[in-house]
Amino acid sequence: MRVLFISSEIYPFAKSGGLGDVAASLPKALLEYSEVKSIMPLYGSIDLQKHNIKSTQFFFNFLVNEENYYFELFQNENTLFLKDFNNLFNRDQMYGDYDDNDLRFGIFCYGVMEYMKQSGEKYEILHINDWQSALVAILAKEHYFLSSKIVFTIHNLAYQGIFSKESIKKLDLKWDYFTPAVLEYHDNINLLKGAIALSDVVTTVSPSYAQEIQSAKFGCSLELFIQENAYKTVGILNGIDYDEFSPQKDRYLTFKYNGEDLSFKAKNKKTLLSDLFLQNDRLPLFVFIGRFTSQKGIDQLLNSLENLQYLPLNIAILGSGEEHYNIALASISHKYENVSITIGYDEALARRMYASADFLYMPSLYEPCGLNQMIAMKYGTVPIVREVGGLKDSVDDFTHSSPFDDKKGVGITFDDDSPSTLVGSTQRALELFHQKDRLKDLISHNMRVDFSWRHQAKEYQKLYEKLDSGWLPERMIKEFEIPLRYNADTLKTIAVNPKTIYTYWEVTPHLVSKYHTSYEALKLRAYANEDLLFEVDLYHGEGDYYFYEEIDFKKVWTQIGFYTFEGEFVSVLTSNYFIAPNSKVIHSDQIVWRNISTFTQTNKRFLLKDEIFYRMEERFSSGMLTKRGSMFEKSFLSRNDSSTLLHTKEEK
Ligand code: ADP
């Protein structure tokens, strides 16, 4: 099987964080099972000589929105690089705040497609990562009609690739995708959303994160959309490459060491402290390494320093990120005698810190997987982590498990983001630091736990193989009984009346409020054996609807959609069907309604009820809509009385 792993960064060529590490180590581990190639943009900052990257002399070009894009393919072993001649990647930064980032990464995705098309290379699996390569899902399926299966990995849901809808034109996409079910998001396009919609399987980088992103707290406003797609989403914990991250092999360390003899770890600490102008190597060293963003819990750490400085410890912080954090940290870099702050990205210093430290802080507010804690554990450094995402999946509190779980490391865990909690956790660490035997056991356990890709890569391989053999995840269809008060006779009575659409009995306040300020109107079309029976427009916003028609034992197929504010009818789902023997209904209600609520949640342009009806009326009178359903008419007339509108007598 041939796999193409597509990423905007791959270590050591380019790396901003965990994605770079994973894009290097996962394909490498997969080589044991499949023929894997990786592909990334050739940024101007990449040193061709140092990395032995050579041109393949394969040149190609293609047109997008009447612009000609020129590419040259470079290669280093299994990694391919796309060099562009349109000044897309030759910039100061990989992910700078450029106003053509849609084009930069969109054209990268086209480049990947055209490389395959023009070179004739075929891959059974295209594995795309984060929003930068997300467009591949749409292009492969809808523009290039490839039979390759698409796996999309979300490394961090917070970065979604949101651009103005003008990008549809700039990237020569079809307006058909500008629907809430695919790309549309707050009147913009959201590339990550498009990839979730069109990929065959979505993975996230830890099982806990796969669950968390279905909640409002972690879903970055896509939780409902992710819930809908949960049937094809799986969490696989990342691994790390022990050829790269191992205190025995690390080329950045003066003193290499293993679990047998930690005295060399102490030697590393001594030289590091002196380089960082910190005193007293008998005190425990606490480190923080990472991007300065709120995600990483940098506020909690910053606000704790005032109290931490009085404890018997040293702290070293390394990172860079959002400007206000860079400034805040720079301004206190000389304030505390026992705190060293280095602003910047420095692989060598990071490795020396992992190797020298006693404890690593990772107070992340959310953490899709997190590699730092795994690296730290391999280097005999005890992680202090918030119980969230991948941190939860890889670190147990040392007091919770005895004996320790083979598959997890141990450290100090907490759940709260207050500074006092971090100070409290630090105090626990200080106590542990003095329980030498306990600490030794814990460290040697951590250094033995296998966080390499050995196990996890197999999970990906199994997925690829299943997909390659034709398997696809299936949506679950919920089955439920009609409540007893609706006996077959009642239903038939309702059904013979053309106005047989009434609110479904399980309308919850939760659902109603989601719908209420939401769509303009719903249209429901009922088909039987592919014939349109009738089409009805439903009154705005009264929760869930239930449809029943008097066609015994036949499959009734419905299509539900809504009118956008531009007056287009957008079909939300066409597979919502009812099978109607008298007592049992199979109904994919959740799928339908979540689709609609996704739209409503993400659409901020709420209109007042009256305005909506005014607009609807305008559309009818202008002939934009020709067929007015009876229900709509009724609801329009009695719009001030919405509470009675859709409730049949039987229901009350
Ligand atoms: P992220 O959310 O940034 O992807 P991860 O924990 O998954 O976080 O991966 C972070 C990776 O980046 C680790 O390899 C870590 O050592 C490295 N890293 C983060 N910040 C720095 C820095 N300032 N200097 C060197 N390496 C860094």
Side-chain angles (χ1 to χ4, degrees), residues 15 17-18 21 290-291 296 318-319 344-346 350 354 370-372 375:
K15 165 175 162 182
D21 286 328
R291 290 180 294 115
K296 297 289 175 186
L318 165 65
Y345 185 92
D346 186 336
Y354 286 120
L371 299 178
N372 296 24
I375 303 171

Side-chain angles (χ1 to χ4, degrees), residues 139-328:
L139 296 179
K141 292 248 164 115
E142 303 280 333
H143 288 230
Y144 289 82
F145 307 107
L146 301 184
S147 58
S148 317
K149 295 294 176 354
I150 316 267
V151 176
F152 175 47
T153 299
I154 302 171
H155 296 259
N156 192 335
L157 186 65
Y159 304 95
Q160 299 178 359
I162 297 171
F163 299 99
S164 140
K165 63 184 175 203
E166 306 313 318
S167 307
I168 298 235
K169 180 155 181 3
K170 277 158 74 184
L171 289 167
D172 250 354
L173 301 174
K174 298 175 188 160
W175 280 100
D176 298 5
Y177 312 138
F178 193 63
T179 79
V182 189
L183 280 177
E184 200 262 334
Y185 180 82
H186 290 259
D187 203 32
N188 289 318
I189 64 161
N190 180 326
L191 293 173
L192 176 129
K193 199 165 166 257
I196 294 176
L198 286 181
S199 295
D200 297 301
V201 167
V202 177
T203 77
T204 64
V205 289
S206 70
S208 288
Y209 193 58
Q211 293 303 315
E212 287 169 354
I213 56 176
Q214 295 181 41
S215 69
K217 187 169 173 196
F218 296 103
C220 303
S221 84
L222 283 186
E223 60 275 9
L224 295 168
F225 191 71
I226 287 168
Q227 282 171 26
E228 269 166 53
N229 288 285
Y231 75 98
K232 62 171 175 181
T233 305
V234 52
I236 301 177
L237 193 70
N238 276 340
I240 54 175
D241 179 1
Y242 286 146
D243 290 337
E244 192 56 52
F245 294 108
S246 151
Q248 268 172 292
K249 298 183 188 162
D250 197 319
R251 61 184 178 283
Y252 296 106
L253 300 187
T254 318
F255 304 104
K256 303 194 183 3
Y257 60 93
N258 58 31
E260 303 301 309
D261 185 359
L262 292 179
S263 62
F264 288 104
K265 184 169 166 72
K267 288 190 178 170
N268 284 311
K269 178 172 169 182
K270 211 168 180 154
T271 54
L272 179 77
L273 290 189
S274 124
D275 289 352
L276 296 178
F277 304 104
L278 291 169
Q279 314 288 325
N280 197 349
D281 62 347
R282 285 195 309 280
L283 295 179
L285 173 64
F286 290 69
V287 298
F288 173 95
I289 301 163
R291 290 180 294 115
F292 293 160
T293 67
S294 60
Q295 177 204 338
K296 297 289 175 186
I298 196 81
D299 292 296
Q300 191 179 16
L301 180 64
L302 261 174
N303 296 331
S304 308
L305 288 177
E306 202 55 50
N307 289 323
L308 290 174
Q309 63 165 321
Y310 299 115
L311 298 176
L313 47 70
N314 280 307
I315 297 178
I317 296 174
L318 165 65
S320 66
E322 289 165 21
E323 206 46 33
H324 63 111
Y325 286 126
N326 293 346
I327 292 169

Side-chain angles (χ1 to χ4, degrees), residues 484-551:
L484 281 178
R485 65 180 184 281
Y486 295 97
N487 58 38
D489 285 343
T490 335
L491 287 171
K492 277 198 174 168
T493 320
I494 300 164
V496 284
N497 183 332
K499 295 178 185 115
T500 51
I501 294 169
Y502 54 95
T503 51
Y504 167 55
W505 55 88
E506 276 179 2
V507 174
T508 62
H510 170 66
L511 286 173
V512 171
S513 63
K514 255 190 259 163
Y515 298 162
H516 203 76
T517 44
S518 55
Y519 51 83
E520 293 175 285
L522 279 177
K523 181 188 280 290
L524 195 144
R525 287 175 183 154
Y527 293 79
N529 301 335
E530 315 272 321
D531 294 319
L532 180 67
L533 290 172
F534 59 82
E535 186 176 79
V536 197
D537 295 302
L538 295 175
Y539 175 66
H540 155 262
E542 262 295 320
D544 210 337
Y545 298 90
Y546 169 64
F547 160 76
Y548 200 91
E549 236 292 50
E550 193 191 30
I551 311 163

